Amino acid sequence: ELISRLRATFRKYLCYKDAFFAIREKIRKKLVFKYLNISIDYGDGDAHTTAVATGTMWGFIYNILAFITKTATVKKHKEAVNPRFNERVFSLSVDGILRVRLVHIIYAWILFNSNYKKILNRRTNPQEKKKGV
């Protein structure tokens, strides 16, 4: 039963993902970040592990920024990962201004919902493929 629920959840996730990617380009110009600042302060008391974790966080931030720039327009952005080698600290700060109109949110929801239903119907009721002559 657990395996069947996991499979159903994974199928639903794939439908959500496909519906999102179908509308991503249509909403990209409508979501605009005037600026986006991401800042992380990290230290665990050990210089070696702090350095490795800091490098990993840089990679994580760039992956998040890549996803955001494919989904929205970002005018200005600033990222920082500050290592604190002799301290035990974790601080995450994200701020920015996102400009979007209410009508664009409604438009995106309608597009997403209609695409999700189409994809779900296609996957649950696959039509028989016609054989060529």
Side-chain angles (χ1 to χ4, degrees), residues 6-96:
L6 286 174
R7 284 182 183 160
T9 303
F10 185 69
R11 283 189 203 114
K12 190 179 258 190
Y13 162 75
L14 290 176
C15 290
Y16 284 132
K17 180 186 71 85
D18 291 344
F20 172 74
F21 284 128
I23 68 165
R24 183 172 66 178
E25 285 302 315
K26 292 179 182 176
I27 65 171
R28 185 174 184 275
K29 300 281 186 203
K30 294 169 178 43
L31 298 173
V32 178
F33 279 97
K34 287 191 174 185
Y35 72 90
L36 179 65
N37 296 333
I38 303 172
S39 176
I40 299 176
D41 292 333
Y42 178 77
D44 67 356
D46 182 22
H48 173 70
T49 56
T50 299
V52 171
T54 301
T56 303
M57 288 179 198
W58 273 112
F60 185 68
I61 284 177
Y62 282 126
N63 283 324
I64 289 174
L65 191 61
F67 175 77
I68 290 172
T69 57
K70 287 183 179 180
T71 306
T73 303
V74 180
K75 299 282 186 180
K76 288 183 183 179
H77 59 89
K78 183 178 177 183
E79 308 83 29
V81 177
N82 305 314
R84 304 280 180 97
F85 293 109
N86 296 325
E87 299 175 31
R88 294 184 68 95
V89 65
F90 179 77
S91 172
L92 171 67
S93 173
V94 178
D95 66 331

